[in-house]
Amino acid sequence: MKHIVKILSILVAIAAFWIGLLHTSIVPQSQTWLLPLYLIISLACYGLLMVGIGLMRFPTCPQEAVLLQQDVIEAKDFLRQKGVDIGSD
């Protein structure tokens, strides 16, 4: 929820900045329609950056891998007891 509020506040600030630029005529009128496009591109780059950082920092859990392997072995044994052919190990 905190991220939503942060993103919405940034969007409101950018919208206010854009409206301010439109009223003060700092940016030429011929280029004002590009500002929302720049905003969308900037947000897309930010999103890709956050996904990339999240993937780089993704934790590995060796303990969970061992537990998962044990669960797989238990499931194979259970299926063998029921007479299901699961192939060779």
Side-chain angles (χ1 to χ4, degrees), residues 4 14 19 30 37 39 45 62 67 80:
I4 293 172
I14 290 172
I19 291 170
S30 62
L37 183 63
L39 172 66
C45 290
L67 290 175
R80 280 191 191 107

Side-chain angles (χ1 to χ4, degrees), residues 7-23:
I7 290 172
L8 286 177
S9 63
I10 290 172
L11 287 175
V12 168
I14 290 172
F17 180 71
W18 182 46
I19 291 170
L21 285 177
L22 289 176
H23 284 284

Side-chain angles (χ1 to χ4, degrees), residues 60-71:
T60 55
C61 304
Q63 314 91 313
E64 295 298 322
V66 170
L67 290 175
L68 181 61
Q69 288 298 326
Q70 289 173 352
D71 288 343

Side-chain angles (χ1 to χ4, degrees), residues 2-46:
K2 292 179 184 179
H3 293 293
I4 293 172
V5 172
K6 185 169 95 173
I7 290 172
L8 286 177
S9 63
I10 290 172
L11 287 175
V12 168
I14 290 172
F17 180 71
W18 182 46
I19 291 170
L21 285 177
L22 289 176
H23 284 284
T24 58
S25 298
I26 293 174
V27 178
Q29 289 287 63
S30 62
Q31 295 182 1
T32 54
W33 63 274
L34 290 175
L35 292 176
L37 183 63
Y38 293 150
L39 172 66
I40 292 170
I41 292 171
S42 298
L43 286 175
C45 290
Y46 173 76

